[in-house]
Every structure is written in structure tokens, then in C-alpha cells.
Amino acid sequence: MRPDFGGSEKTVLARQHILGAIGVVAVAIVALLAVAWRPAFPPIAPPPPTAFPRELVARGEVLASAANCDDCHTKPGDPAGAGGKPLFTRVGFFYSPNLTPDAETGIGAWSEGAFFRALREGVSRDGRHLFPVFPYTHYSRLEDADIRALYAYFMTRPAVRAPNRPNELSFPTDVRPLLALWKILFFRPGPYRPDPAHDALWNRGAYLTEGLAACTNCHTDRNGFGAEQVGHPYAGAMADGWFAEALDINPAPARWTEAELFAYLRRGDSPPHGVPVGPMRRVVRGLAKLPDDDLRAMAAYLASLNAPFAAPVEPALARATTPAPPKTDQQRQGQEIYLQHCASCHGAPGSPPTVARSPLGLNAALWNRYRPYNLLLTILDGIDAQGGLPGAMPAFRDKLSDHELAALATYLRTAYTTLPPWDQIEELVRSTRNDPLRLR
Ligand code: HEC
Ligand code: HEC
Ligand code: HEC
């Protein structure tokens, strides 16, 4: 006879299963917490600005500008570094934290050790794991001296009282201890290790590009877990509704040489390729404080990633400078719009540009393999002239209807490139014009 537990055999079995499952979950949670646990750094009294040598602060300013720290840590219109900027990702909205030295709401109570751990390991002062939307996977590569300079810079900014706004993420992404598992899978912490197969210039360029400037943060697509895809760096990815072009196999028919890359990063203007637009504009602005030697090193490194053209490029180059006549009604309408609104600066079809400097036909925006986001957004919103970068262009948001913009984009694509027209262009124009995430 079996003992009677006060229920049928089925309920007893069910109870045992439930208890077993609870046990497994409890063990898993305890194990996860054990792996994930990091101690808190004790709070310090905010050091006075005089505690940091002036040269160190100045060095930190150059680095912070090149890394664009303030760009992510400033909500437009609010004081610099006070956080609160919404960052949209596939898993929801992040709101950047306050990076000013306010003791309660910023990082004023952070010791240098706590700051080091945040950049090297992605752990906050209180021991919480940080999401890789903060590019510590790159900052981990920074040398001690550079992290120290960044700390000196941020601790000497004006303190702003601004409480952090919680992220808006869905379960289970919002469970921070799970980030410990993410790190085991996708994160190898530690400073940059020079590659002996390359010279010092290349290694300096790799250090700045991969570590400080975190260029792959936008130019490399991510896997389902939000980690940059291994094996396809610089193959291009979406960034803030724009497409951060591929830098390994660039779609434009003019090659990105070391000299052109230097010109683009230094002056924001490479005659065969045009000017930076969208989020890339603030990246180039941020690099302005780096010395020429550093930008030359980055150009050397980036040029080495640029694969040779797979097919002869002459037909594409010829088409880009001698556009084909329009064939359909839509293309004819597009050409009329071009002549009316664009030719005054970009030149009549087949003639060199007048006010603009680079031939439109060579621009990567027309040659994009996937979607013409950059072309549409440039026409809709123009190019702002702030920050001393060349290339100001008026916005056409209120001048062109969706239908006209679709015709113009189709004309430019079919006239100036050897690629097929983009499909579903009307829908794309509509969604790009009204993208609520980009406008937020
Ligand atoms: C792409 C946007 C972005 C850039 C660039 C960026 N950060 Fe952040 N940073 C964030 C976000 C978002 C968080 C919060 C992540 C989270 O909630 O886990 C964060 C968190 C931090 C933290 C932890 C703050 C805290 O209260 O826990 C520090 C310190 C920090 N960033 C410093 C920097 C520095 C220094 C730079 C430049 C070298 C920088 N960040 C560049 C987005 C960015
Ligand atoms: C915040 C996201 C972001 C970051 C970070 C970023 N880029 Fe970009 N980049 C873009 C976008 C979007 C474009 C496409 C718009 C354009 O052509 O200006 C672009 C375009 C470019 C182009 C021109 C490509 C072409 O064919 O026209 C180059 C070169 C480039 N980026 C290099 C870099 C380098 C080097 C870094 C690091 C210093 C970097 N990017 C960091 C978003 C980013
Ligand atoms: C008032 C002059 C002006 C007008 C009008 C104008 N543009 Fe531009 N456009 C510029 C300048 C300047 C640049 C920066 C590149 C350069 O100097 O070559 C530029 C750049 C561009 C780019 C390249 C952006 C990049 O990624 O580098 C595209 C695409 C473009 N224009 C499309 C158009 C179209 C389409 C029209 C008509 C609807 C138009 N533009 C009207 C001045 C103008």
C-alpha cells in the first residue's frame, strides 16, 4: 500500500513536478546571482576640480569629444552630459544616465576605480551590470592613461542635478543579472593588444577606431542578442533610421582611399564621396579635436578594411557621371523635379555640380544595396551647416509630396546607377517621412 498524501496519484505527481521545477528555478536564480554579483564601490565625496591636473582634463576633453560621450549623454536642449537622451533599440528605449559630477544623481560619488570598472567591464558603481548600448565593449580596449583622462574631464564638468530616467524594456531583457550571461557569451574585456602583423600607424588607427571612437557600434549589424556580429564588421547597419554604409565593400563606384578617408574624417568632405550626413555628421564633428596624426592612423586602418572591387568598376563610374535618359513616366516626372529643385546646385544631368562639390552620381546614397534611407532623409531634412562642416543643403520636406519624392528617388537611381530601381518606394517614402522614432 502506498502512503496516502491526501490526493489522487495524479495530483501527487503533479505536486512533485511543480516542487521539482521550483527547485530547478531556485537553483538557477541562485547560480545566476552568484555569477552576476559585483560589489559596490563605496561612495566618495566629489573631488574638487583642482584635484585634477589641467593637461589631464584637456586630454580627457579631446578623448570625450572623439568618443562622442556627450552626444549620447545629453538630451537635446538640456545641459551637456546630464543624460536623459532616449536611445531606441530592438529591445526598447534606453535613457542615458547623468554623467555630470552631481553626487546624488550623477557620477560625483564615483571613485576613479568605479569609473574604470564601468568602462572596462560595463558595471555601474553600485554593482549593477550595464547594457552594451553603452559601448563599453569598445571602451574596454582603452589604455589606463586614456580612461584616467576621461575621468578627470567628466569630474570637472559643471554638476547638474537630474535624476536618471528608468529604461523602458520588456521582460526578460530588463533583468540586469542576465547581462552577466550575455557578457560570458559576447564580451572579451581588456585593453587593446597591438597586432604584430601590422605597423605602429595601423595599430594606433585600430586602437582609436575600435576602442575610443567605437565606429563599429553603428557600422556593424547586431545578432538577436544585441551583440555586434562577429565575422561581418563594417558590413553596414541601421543607425537612428539612417543606414551606416558598409565600409568593407562600399557600394559607391569611387574607391575609399586612405587620402579620401583622411579628408572625410578631418574636414568632413571627400570630393568623390560627399559630406557626412545624419548621425555621421556629429561623429566627424567630434573627431575635430584629434590631431592629424591620429586621423591619419584611423584612415590607414580603415583603408586596410576596404576590399578591392569584385567586378570592373568602369561601367558604374561612367553611368554615375553620364546619367541615362528617363524611360518611364515616373522617371520623367523625377527628372523634371530634379531640374526644378536640385540642378541649380548639383548641376544639370551630365554636367559637373555647381554649388555642391561632389558629383551626385558617385554618392553612396544612390548606390545603397538595400534601401534609400540616406537619400530620402537628406532630401527631406537637408544638411545642416552647423559646427563648421562643409555642405549645407536646404530641406524639401514641405516642398515635395510623397509621390514626387518617390519619382525623384527613382529617377536618380535609374539615371545615375547601374542598379535596379528600389521597390515599394512610395511606402518607404511615407514611412521615412513619418518615422515616429526618429522624430522623438
Ligand atoms: C551610444 C550611446 C553612448 C555613448 C557613445 C556613451 N554612452 Fe555612456 N551610457 C549610455 C547608456 C544608454 C548608459 C546606461 C546603460 C544601462 O542602462 O545599462 C550609459 C552608461 C554609462 C555609465 C554608467 C553610469 C551609471 O550611472 O551607471 C558611464 C560611467 C558612462 N556611460 C560613461 C560614458 C563615457 C565616458 C563615454 C565616452 C567615452 C560614454 N559613456 C559614451 C550610452 C552611451
Ligand atoms: C552614430 C552612428 C555612427 C557612428 C558611431 C559612426 N558612423 Fe560612420 N556613418 C553613419 C551613418 C548613418 C552613415 C551614412 C550617412 C553618410 O554617408 O554620411 C555613415 C557614413 C560613414 C562614411 C561614409 C560612407 C559612404 O560611403 O558615404 C564613413 C567613411 C564613415 N561613416 C566612417 C566612420 C568612422 C571612421 C567612424 C568612427 C570614427 C564612424 N563612421 C562612426 C553612422 C555612424
Ligand atoms: C542650395 C544648394 C542645394 C540644393 C538646391 C540641393 N542640394 Fe543636395 N547638396 C548640396 C550640398 C552643398 C551638398 C553637400 C555635398 C557637396 O558639397 O557635394 C549636397 C548633398 C546632397 C546629397 C549627398 C548627401 C551625402 O550623403 O553626402 C544628396 C543625395 C543630395 N544633395 C540630393 C539633393 C536633391 C535630390 C536635391 C533636390 C531635391 C538637392 N540635393 C538640392 C546642395 C544643394
Side-chain angles (χ1 to χ4, degrees):
M1 260 267 294
R2 296 200 187 160
D4 186 356
F5 288 111
S8 73
E9 208 165 321
K10 261 189 185 161
T11 28
V12 172
L13 273 175
R15 249 186 239 152
Q16 281 173 351
H17 276 130
I18 290 166
L19 284 175
I22 290 174
V24 170
V25 170
V27 169
I29 289 176
V30 170
L32 175 63
L33 290 177
V35 172
W37 188 79
R38 293 285 184 286
F41 271 87
I44 60 164
T50 47
F52 302 95
R54 207 175 297 160
E55 313 78 67
L56 193 65
V57 175
R59 171 95 193 117
E61 181 177 355
V62 173
L63 299 171
S65 167
N68 253 315
C69 312
D70 271 346
D71 177 61
C72 272
H73 283 274
T74 307
K75 187 176 172 197
D78 281 5
K85 177 171 175 174
L87 301 162
F88 177 69
T89 69
R90 272 179 226 168
V91 295
F93 276 98
F94 289 90
Y95 295 93
S96 56
N98 183 346
L99 214 54
T100 72
D102 182 62
E104 269 171 52
T105 63
I107 60 165
W110 287 46
S111 60
E112 196 181 70
F115 188 82
F116 259 79
R117 187 176 66 173
L119 268 68
R120 276 268 160 76
E121 298 174 41
V123 178
S124 189
R125 185 187 68 76
D126 60 8
R128 285 174 315 145
H129 287 278
L130 293 164
F131 285 94
V133 58
F134 161 40
Y136 57 79
T137 46
H138 297 273
Y139 304 149
S140 190
R141 306 281 170 264
L142 294 179
E143 290 159 3
D144 286 3
D146 283 349
I147 300 185
R148 203 161 287 134
L150 282 167
Y151 178 70
Y153 172 70
F154 282 105
M155 293 306 265
T156 49
R157 294 307 88 205
V160 179
R161 209 190 135 69
N164 291 337
R165 180 168 170 183
N167 299 327
E168 287 160 22
L169 310 172
S170 48
F171 181 82
T173 321
D174 56 347
V175 181
R176 285 193 185 259
L178 286 175
L179 286 167
L181 301 181
W182 186 93
K183 286 177 179 175
I184 291 172
L185 291 173
F186 301 114
F187 177 38
R188 298 287 164 271
Y192 178 72
R193 279 202 302 271
D195 181 343
H198 292 279
D199 62 12
L201 185 75
W202 186 97
N203 273 298
R204 175 74 184 153
Y207 171 77
L208 293 166
T209 309
E210 303 298 332
L212 185 68
C215 305
T216 55
N217 200 36
C218 287
H219 283 274
T220 301
D221 210 357
R222 288 168 192 277
N223 66 19
F225 296 98
E228 285 171 21
Q229 280 183 358
V230 180
H232 307 281
Y234 298 102
M238 290 299 294
D240 298 352
W242 295 73
F243 189 76
E245 294 292 356
L247 300 180
D248 56 348
I249 306 177
N250 191 264
R255 201 169 159 71
W256 274 106
T257 61
E258 204 171 315
E260 293 303 340
L261 284 160
F262 175 73
Y264 184 85
L265 299 176
R266 177 76 296 168
R267 298 196 308 273
D269 178 19
S270 147
H273 299 277
V275 300
V277 292
M280 192 58 207
R281 230 164 151 70
R282 48 179 203 259
V283 172
V284 173
R285 264 187 218 124
L287 298 176
K289 290 178 180 152
L290 283 182
D292 281 359
D293 285 352
D294 278 349
L295 292 182
R296 267 200 199 97
M298 289 173 75
Y301 171 70
L302 289 162
S304 78
L305 306 172
N306 195 340
F309 290 117
V313 76
E314 285 72 22
L317 275 174
R319 176 61 72 81
T321 41
T322 321
K327 287 195 201 74
T328 65
D329 283 347
Q330 191 195 32
Q331 292 169 18
R332 269 185 286 276
Q333 191 198 358
Q335 189 185 44
E336 268 166 43
I337 298 166
Y338 179 82
L339 292 170
Q340 189 188 343
H341 291 290
C342 322
S344 58
C345 292
H346 287 283
S351 317
T354 49
V355 173
R357 279 165 35 97
S358 23
L360 205 49
L362 292 180
N363 200 278
L366 294 188
W367 292 87
N368 193 289
R369 269 161 287 176
Y370 310 100
R371 294 275 161 113
Y373 297 108
N374 298 355
L375 175 65
L376 298 179
L377 288 169
T378 303
I379 302 174
L380 282 168
D381 295 335
I383 307 176
D384 75 273
Q386 292 158 22
L389 289 187
M393 172 172 145
F396 290 89
R397 185 173 281 273
D398 301 328
K399 296 205 187 89
L400 298 176
S401 68
D402 289 349
H403 187 68
E404 290 169 324
L405 187 44
L408 176 60
T410 304
Y411 162 69
L412 291 173
R413 172 75 157 189
T414 48
Y416 287 88
T417 80
T418 46
L419 302 173
W422 290 294
D423 37 311
Q424 298 173 328
I425 185 77
E426 299 248 358
E427 288 93 304
L428 196 70
V429 167
R430 213 168 305 127
S431 60
T432 306
R433 187 194 289 268
N434 304 317
D435 182 358
L437 298 173
R438 222 173 37 80
L439 299 175
R440 197 165 147 144

